[in-house]
Amino acid sequence: MNTRWLFAASLVMLTSAGAAIADKDSNKGVGQACRGLPNHATLKAALDDAVSAEESGLNLHMWATLVNRDGVVCAVAFSGTNRGAQWPASRVISAQKANTANSLSLDFSSDSAGSGKPNGLALSTANLYSAVQPGGSLFGLQESNPVETGAAYGGNPGLNGTPQDPMVGSKIGGVNVFGGGLGLYSVGKTLVGGVGLSGDTSCADHNIAWRVRHNLGLDHIVGVGGVSGDPQRPDNIIFDIAANPNGGTGISAGGFGHPTCLNTDLNTADLPAGQP
């Protein structure tokens, strides 16, 4: 075989592989895709503070994930001494929740040509629970956008929860329909992404996500449309599920209710109010 031809072919292959790696790496971390969103250190600090402030549920440590408006993972962090101090499953669940809240919330830009919402519509993952039950208006939603398993479970697990978490820079996908996911609204009530929390009861996940978003200053939600009935907390969790007299899943009076959880304050107004 012609050695020069073999060398040239090998060089092309290496160059192509290098280009692919460089293209992937160019989307990592706080690059162009995540510009303007909190970095890993900021998310970690907000998470640690929120976990310390909220003691509901089982009072466990948590995973947190941020995604941008396109669903690209921008940061992943955990509380606790190491990545084994939380439920391992919660890393990907937190990413699912961030993706869900971002992809099913809106801001004022949705309003045009006589359709849309002039004030947007903020939906937390907690708001979706009742609607996806059998017979609900959104039944099957949780099956609609599968997780990208390569992004979720690939890479070096030793980097999980660090600035180099293998999910960062990828679109994780996934839909999760219990508490812990919230849209991120910047100044001007502009939707810029989502945050997801997991690691405890679903009610505690919601409460800690709420505190993380507040700590990040991305809770400019006053005046945004929602389903909670509270203008200062439009995407807050709703506890309005009554027992079904015929058995099975309880019935939410408003259609967006979430079950109560162990050791949870049902007065949702105790959570910080959103910002204008």
Side-chain angles (χ1 to χ4, degrees):
M1 179 180 291
N2 188 307
T3 55
R4 285 188 295 178
W5 181 90
L6 180 61
F7 175 77
S10 300
L11 183 61
V12 169
M13 292 175 64
L14 288 170
T15 302
S16 299
I21 293 171
D23 182 65
K24 181 176 177 60
D25 285 346
S26 68
N27 292 325
K28 290 282 186 179
V30 290
Q32 185 66 35
C34 298
R35 183 166 295 175
L37 287 177
N39 61 18
H40 174 271
T42 303
L43 175 61
K44 169 71 171 166
L47 173 63
D48 287 343
D49 180 82
V51 170
S52 296
E54 181 67 45
E55 297 181 352
S56 64
L58 300 170
N59 195 26
L60 299 179
H61 281 294
M62 307 290 292
W63 284 91
T65 299
L66 292 179
V67 302
N68 73 359
R69 191 68 179 109
D70 293 321
V72 174
V73 176
C74 293
V76 183
F78 58 77
S79 67
T81 56
N82 57 55
R83 63 184 178 86
Q86 323 75 23
W87 293 333
S90 287
R91 172 176 168 268
V92 175
I93 293 172
S94 72
Q96 284 182 291
K97 291 179 181 181
N99 179 71
T100 304
N102 168 67
S103 61
L104 294 177
S105 293
L106 298 167
D107 62 18
F108 58 87
S109 66
S110 66
D111 181 40
S112 64
S115 296
K117 293 286 186 180
N119 296 318
L121 179 64
L123 287 175
S124 64
T125 55
N127 297 153
L128 301 173
Y129 178 88
S130 288
V132 304
Q133 300 305 314
S137 61
L138 297 176
F139 176 64
L141 175 68
Q142 63 269 43
E143 310 295 338
S144 64
N145 289 266
V147 167
E148 171 51 60
T149 55
Y153 305 113
N156 178 2
L159 297 175
N160 290 356
T162 72
Q164 292 78 41
D165 187 292
M167 284 197 297
V168 173
S170 300
K171 292 185 178 181
I172 189 66
V175 172
N176 190 286
V177 292
F178 53 85
L182 298 167
L184 297 174
Y185 286 82
S186 68
V187 175
K189 304 178 181 64
T190 301
L191 183 60
V192 295
V195 62
L197 272 291
S198 180
D200 207 300
T201 68
S202 52
C203 302
D205 289 357
H206 172 85
N207 289 356
I208 295 174
W210 192 273
R211 295 182 187 282
V212 166
R213 181 174 67 174
H214 180 71
N215 290 344
L216 295 175
L218 291 173
D219 59 346
H220 293 270
I221 53 174
V222 175
V224 177
V227 297
S228 74
D230 183 344
Q232 292 188 313
R233 303 169 181 84
D235 54 352
N236 204 357
I237 196 168
I238 303 166
F239 296 120
D240 70 348
I241 296 179
N244 186 341
N246 299 314
T249 305
I251 300 172
S252 168
F256 296 96
H258 188 285
T260 58
C261 307
L262 175 71
N263 187 29
T264 300
D265 183 358
L266 302 186
N267 183 10
T268 58
D270 287 347
L271 291 174
Q275 301 181 68

